[in-house]
Amino acid sequence: MKRKFNPDWLFFSALFANVCVILTGRQFPFADMVNHLARFRLMDQYWFGQPPAYLRVDLIPTAYIGLDFVGVAAEHFFPTEVAMRIIAVLCMAALPMGAWLLLRAVNPDSRGWALVGVLLGFHWCYLFGFIHYSLGIGLALMWLAWWWPRREKREWHAVAVAAVLACGVYLVHLAGAVVVLVVIWLDWGMAVVKFAREGTGSLLRRGPWLARAAMPLGVTVGIVTLWWVARLAAPSVYIPPFLEQVLYLPLWKKLTHLASPFYTFGPLQAAVMTAGYLDCLGAVLLAMRRALRVNLFALSCGVLMLVYFAL
C-alpha cells in the first residue's frame, strides 16, 4: 500500500529555513524595528529601572499594547539583539502558522498549501518593521482556526472564551480584529440565508439562526468595549491637527499597495515574488478546480477588499 504524502515536514522545514535567515541576519527586520526596540527599552526602564524624568507610560488597552508587553518582557530578560530576534521570529512565523492551523481546521488534506504562507513570511510590511500588523494578521488566522469547529457554539463560556481571545487579537493590531469580525458575521449571514432557503414561514418566528448570533455578538461586544475603554482612558494631551486628520489614499495608490506583500528591495525582486505567488495560486486553482465554489473565506476576502478600497 502506497504511503500517503505528509506535507507537514515540508512546511516546517521551510519555516525553519526562514527562522535561520532571521537568526543569522545582522539586523532583522529593518526600519521601524529600531523604533519598537527603543520603545520596549524605555517601557522596561519605566517599570523596572530608573526612567528619565520626561518619560511617561500609560497602560491603555490600545491595538498595539499586546505585542509591546511581549517586547518589554524580551527586552527585560535578554540583551536587545536577542530580544529583537525573538520578536522577529514570532512575527514572521505568525502568518504561515496561522495559515497552517486554519487549513488544518477547515480542510486538513489541503494544509500543505500553507507553504505559500512561508513564502510570504518576508513580506514588505514585515521587513519594513510593521511587526504589530504582521503578528495581528497571523493571530487572526489562528483565532479563526480555533473558532471554526466551535462556530455554532452558543454556550456562554464558549462565547466568553471567543471574546477574550478576539480581544487579544485586537490588542496586537486592529487589522486582525477586523478580519475576525468580517469572517464571523459573514458566516452568520450565510447561515441565515441557508436557514431561510431550507425553512418555511417567517424567520422572526425561528430561534436557531438568532441563537447562532451569540458568538459574533459576544466577540463584537468584547472588541468594541475594549476600544471604548481605550478612548476613555486616553490621557488628555495636545495632538497637532495634522495628526488628527484621517489620511485617505487615492485609488491608484491603493492599487500599487496590493503589490506590497511581494515588494522588498526593488521592482525586479517584486516581479519574481509576484510571479511565484501567481504560480502557486494557479496550482491551487488547477488542483481544486472541481471543488471550487464561493465559500465563507472567499467571500470574506471580497468584503475585506471592498472595505480596503472604500476607506
Side-chain angles (χ1 to χ4, degrees):
M1 183 176 180
K2 188 176 180 180
R3 188 175 181 180
K4 189 176 181 180
F5 174 72
N6 187 349
D8 293 343
W9 72 269
L10 184 61
F11 169 80
F12 285 105
S13 297
L15 186 61
F16 178 73
N18 278 6
V19 173
C20 290
V21 172
I22 295 174
L23 296 180
T24 56
R26 183 175 180 181
Q27 178 184 330
F28 218 83
F30 311 105
D32 282 6
M33 190 62 184
V34 177
N35 298 332
H36 296 313
L37 290 172
R39 185 173 68 256
F40 300 156
R41 180 63 176 171
L42 288 173
M43 293 172 70
D44 178 60
Q45 287 183 351
Y46 185 84
W47 286 324
F48 305 106
Q50 297 180 348
Y54 60 82
L55 183 62
R56 171 181 171 181
V57 177
D58 295 301
L59 278 178
I60 301 173
T62 61
Y64 250 60
I65 195 67
L67 182 55
D68 283 359
F69 282 145
V70 178
V72 170
E75 179 68 34
H76 183 76
F77 292 105
F78 301 99
T80 299
E81 184 174 343
V82 176
M84 175 189 70
R85 298 184 192 280
I86 292 174
I87 299 298
V89 169
L90 288 176
C91 296
M92 181 281 299
L95 177 62
M97 280 302 301
W100 183 76
L101 291 170
L102 182 57
L103 286 170
R104 193 179 67 164
V106 176
N107 185 9
D109 292 337
S110 65
R111 66 187 185 279
W113 292 108
L115 187 63
V116 180
V118 179
L119 298 176
L120 291 176
F122 293 136
H123 54 86
W124 179 85
C125 295
Y126 170 80
L127 291 175
F128 204 75
F130 297 165
I131 56 175
H132 294 77
Y133 174 79
S134 302
L135 183 60
I137 296 299
L139 289 179
L141 297 179
M142 295 178 190
W143 188 95
L144 293 173
W146 175 89
W147 161 81
W148 181 257
R150 303 170 178 84
R151 61 190 184 281
E152 296 185 10
K153 296 283 186 180
R154 59 196 70 174
E155 295 83 4
W156 70 268
H157 53 85
V159 175
V161 172
V164 170
L165 293 177
C167 287
V169 176
Y170 165 80
L171 289 175
V172 174
H173 201 280
L174 180 60
V178 171
V179 170
V180 166
L181 292 175
V182 167
V183 173
I184 61 176
W185 278 111
L186 277 177
D187 175 72
W188 178 79
M190 293 175 67
V192 171
V193 172
K194 181 180 179 181
F195 188 82
R197 288 179 177 178
E198 294 177 350
T200 57
S202 174
L203 277 175
L204 296 178
R205 295 197 298 268
R206 301 236 172 89
W209 70 272
L210 187 59
R212 187 166 174 174
M215 184 76 77
L217 274 175
V219 171
T220 303
V221 169
I223 292 176
V224 172
T225 301
L226 205 58
W227 172 81
W228 185 250
V229 170
R231 286 182 60 89
L232 293 178
S236 300
V237 296
Y238 172 74
I239 301 178
F242 71 90
L243 291 179
E244 290 187 328
Q245 296 177 357
V246 179
L247 177 62
Y248 293 97
L249 297 177
L251 178 61
W252 68 269
K253 195 73 173 178
K254 289 188 175 184
L255 288 173
T256 59
H257 281 193
L258 291 178
S260 62
F262 317 107
Y263 189 93
T264 306
F265 303 109
L268 179 60
Q269 175 273 329
V272 174
M273 283 284 291
T274 304
Y277 177 77
L278 292 177
D279 182 59
C280 294
L281 180 61
V284 171
L285 296 177
L286 182 63
M288 307 181 69
R289 60 188 182 278
R290 296 181 180 178
L292 288 177
R293 63 183 185 277
V294 178
N295 57 27
L296 170 64
F297 297 103
L299 192 60
S300 299
C301 290
V303 171
L304 289 169
M305 190 68 71
L306 288 176
V307 172
Y308 170 73
F309 282 109
L311 298 180

